Amino acid sequence: MSSGFDRDRDEFARGTKAIVVLPDQGDATRDADARLAETAGLAAAIGVEVVERIAYRVRAPKPATLIGSGQVEMLAAQVRMEEAGLVVFDASLSPIQQRNLEKALGTKVIDRTGLILEIFGERAATAEGRLQVELAHLDYQAGRLVRSWTHLERQRGGFGFLGGPGETQIEADRRLIRDRMAKLKRELEQVSRTRGLHRERRQRAPWPVIALVGYTNAGKSTLFNRLTGADVMAEDLLFATLDPTLRQVQLPGLDKAILSDTVGFVSDLPTQLVAAFKATLEEVVSADLLIHVRDIAHPDTEAQRADVEAVLAEIGVDESTPRFEVWNKLDMLDPADHDEVAGEAAHREDVVAISALSGEGVAGLIDQVAGKLTGTHRRYWLKLDATDGAGVAWLHAHGDVIDTHVDGLETTYEVRLSEADYDRFTRRDV
């Protein structure tokens, strides 16, 4: 069955002229120009042409249109002058506000949530990703049936989302949405169970899991590729990576570890997406180590950090999970700022400054990661027969062999191991 999500994917074509509007309500934690630039980047990510960026000061949000009537008139004139086919509001719009703005402006209007859902819908490459995005989209559209789940409107033809099908059709569509969402949730539960089985298998190994998290476009995929030799899509593009990718990575003192590249976070990430992507984000929740990659050259880097930490808390990441920050994009700083940032990072145990693009600082990062994961390792003295080649090889692969002492047919190995590996070795469950 085709969903309303599928039908609505072509509401505006690539190349559509768009105006980005920021209703500035005095959020002091963010730079208005940077926020407009981010939203313009989000719009560009789905192929629309941003022809104007406008910030309106909003002291008291209007229930009908969010912005004031005079601002609506000025925006309508700008839409006509630019011949814009789309207006993107960097805010959350109620269905009534969205409909009223479309009537007043005479063009398509979407809010930040709708824009992010469009990007996710276009980028999701796997069956799981498509299920997650469709579920999020349907959840978002559930309260907007008059303008979005519109079989009959499509048949009327022409531009416009100004009316809706009759009440009977709306009720029928509500049932369609409920049924489709229930089916998607069942399928995603199966995905979650399968992912859980894979996770249990890794934990029995056990190989530590390292999750890269961070704001979108912070450079996670570039770092992932450099550490693993993979070729995950890494572009100067918001939400370049949606589906999770896991690869083995070699680290000093460890046999192997699993590195996970996850979807980037963003401010005001729609709650529908957080819920829908729960199965994907479980890799983050269960990780042994979190690496928070930050774009240290971005003017809103501190606000972005707070956004990421808020999402981590929302998805249930335990505060006790070991983590540290990677201050990425040193190559984007001027020499003075570069030296200041690198110097501050050098004096902190929870920070590493790098350039994933040039490779600067990455060797130190690898040492830091290995140190975090092996920090709980203890020193043991183990006696092995000279004929136990498999045991010797396992100790070298899973631990740090410090010294050996040969006594006849036995050799004592002084080795640093995690408690889990020591238990496995003593059980000889290798």
Side-chain angles (χ1 to χ4, degrees):
M1 180 184 72
S2 177
S3 70
F5 167 78
D6 297 325
R7 282 188 293 274
D8 282 346
R9 291 294 302 131
D10 60 349
E11 287 183 356
F12 45 85
R14 284 184 169 273
T16 297
K17 291 182 178 180
I19 295 175
V20 172
V21 177
L22 171 64
D24 186 359
Q25 300 182 49
D27 184 357
T29 64
R30 291 194 169 271
D31 178 78
D33 289 338
R35 181 77 183 220
L36 279 169
E38 177 180 291
T39 307
L42 289 170
I46 52 173
V48 301
E49 179 189 354
V50 177
V51 294
E52 187 63 75
R53 307 176 189 179
I54 304 172
Y56 289 127
R57 189 76 175 91
V58 178
R59 291 182 175 83
K62 306 297 182 184
T65 54
L66 184 60
I67 59 177
S69 57
Q71 294 168 334
V72 172
E73 292 176 3
M74 289 189 290
L75 182 55
Q78 193 73 33
V79 167
R80 291 191 296 270
M81 184 175 69
E82 299 288 353
E83 297 181 341
L86 175 68
V87 174
V88 180
F89 271 73
D90 185 15
S92 293
L93 297 175
S94 70
I96 292 175
Q97 289 172 337
Q98 193 170 2
R99 186 167 65 250
N100 289 342
L101 285 166
E102 287 182 340
K103 287 180 180 179
L105 302 178
T107 192
K108 177 83 175 84
V109 174
I110 62 174
D111 63 4
R112 184 178 179 85
T113 297
L115 178 60
I116 294 174
L117 287 170
E118 285 289 334
I119 299 170
F120 273 53
E122 186 172 278
R123 295 284 172 73
T126 66
E128 176 189 356
R130 288 191 290 271
L131 288 173
Q132 291 167 325
V133 174
E134 184 177 352
L135 178 61
H137 189 93
L138 291 177
D139 188 25
Y140 172 69
Q141 297 293 1
R144 301 166 189 259
L145 290 177
V146 172
R147 62 162 302 279
S148 294
W149 188 275
T150 49
H151 313 3
L152 299 183
E153 272 187 17
R154 296 291 184 185
Q155 294 172 8
R156 287 201 299 269
F159 183 90
F161 300 81
L162 308 182
E167 185 68 24
T168 301
Q169 185 63 51
I170 290 176
E171 290 301 322
D173 282 339
R174 284 201 177 103
R175 286 193 294 274
L176 283 175
I177 287 180
R178 287 196 300 267
D179 293 345
R180 179 64 177 165
M181 288 180 68
K183 183 175 185 294
L184 290 172
K185 287 177 180 177
R186 288 194 299 272
E187 293 180 17
L188 283 171
E189 285 173 3
Q190 181 58 47
V191 169
S192 182
R193 283 194 294 271
T194 302
R195 192 184 295 280
L197 291 173
H198 292 167
R199 188 179 303 112
E200 288 178 10
R201 198 172 301 132
R202 287 198 304 271
Q203 288 172 344
R204 284 198 301 269
W207 300 321
V209 174
I210 308 159
L212 298 179
V213 298
Y215 209 82
T216 184
N217 209 30
K220 296 183 305 301
S221 294
T222 302
L223 178 58
F224 182 86
N225 289 343
R226 181 169 287 278
L227 292 175
T228 65
D231 57 355
V232 171
M233 180 182 179
E235 296 185 9
D236 184 14
L237 192 67
L238 298 174
F239 294 122
T241 301
L242 290 189
D243 295 295
T245 307
L246 287 82
R247 292 287 189 278
Q248 293 183 18
V249 61
Q250 299 295 324
L251 296 171
L254 292 168
D255 173 34
K256 69 176 70 172
I258 304 297
L259 188 65
S260 172
D261 186 20
T262 60
V263 61
F265 301 152
V266 70
S267 63
D268 300 327
L269 188 65
T271 55
Q272 295 93 343
L273 275 175
V274 174
F277 273 72
K278 185 177 179 182
T280 297
L281 296 173
E282 282 172 355
E283 293 293 346
V284 176
V285 176
S286 63
D288 298 284
L289 176 65
L290 293 182
I291 299 179
H292 180 175
V293 182
R294 291 176 54 186
D295 178 357
I296 203 63
H298 196 282
D300 277 344
T301 184
E302 287 297 332
Q304 290 180 352
R305 177 188 182 278
D307 289 330
V308 171
E309 292 296 334
V311 175
L312 290 176
E314 185 176 354
I315 64 176
V317 174
D318 194 323
E319 291 184 1
S320 64
T321 301
R323 68 183 76 183
F324 63 91
E325 293 183 1
V326 169
W327 292 355
N328 190 30
K329 302 194 181 183
L330 284 178
D331 54 295
M332 299 291 290
L333 299 173
D334 60 44
D337 289 339
H338 174 286
D339 293 344
E340 181 181 350
V341 168
E344 181 180 350
H347 286 88
R348 292 180 54 175
E349 293 184 357
D350 60 340
V351 173
V352 181
I354 70 163
S355 167
L357 190 62
S358 71
E360 179 185 357
V362 173
L365 169 62
I366 292 172
D367 290 339
Q368 283 271 42
V369 171
K372 284 279 187 181
L373 293 175
T374 61
T376 58
H377 288 194
R378 296 174 56 189
R379 188 175 299 186
Y380 299 94
W381 287 262
L382 301 170
K383 290 185 178 182
L384 299 181
D385 290 337
T387 58
D388 191 0
V392 173
W394 195 92
L395 289 178
H396 279 280
H398 292 76
D400 181 16
V401 177
I402 302 169
D403 196 9
T404 59
H405 176 70
V406 179
D407 183 11
L409 296 178
E410 284 188 336
T411 302
T412 299
Y413 289 84
E414 183 182 352
V415 59
R416 187 178 289 110
L417 289 169
S418 68
E419 290 187 19
D421 280 341
Y422 175 73
D423 289 341
R424 290 177 62 210
F425 186 80
T426 54
R427 295 194 314 267
R428 300 314 298 261
D429 179 20
V430 297

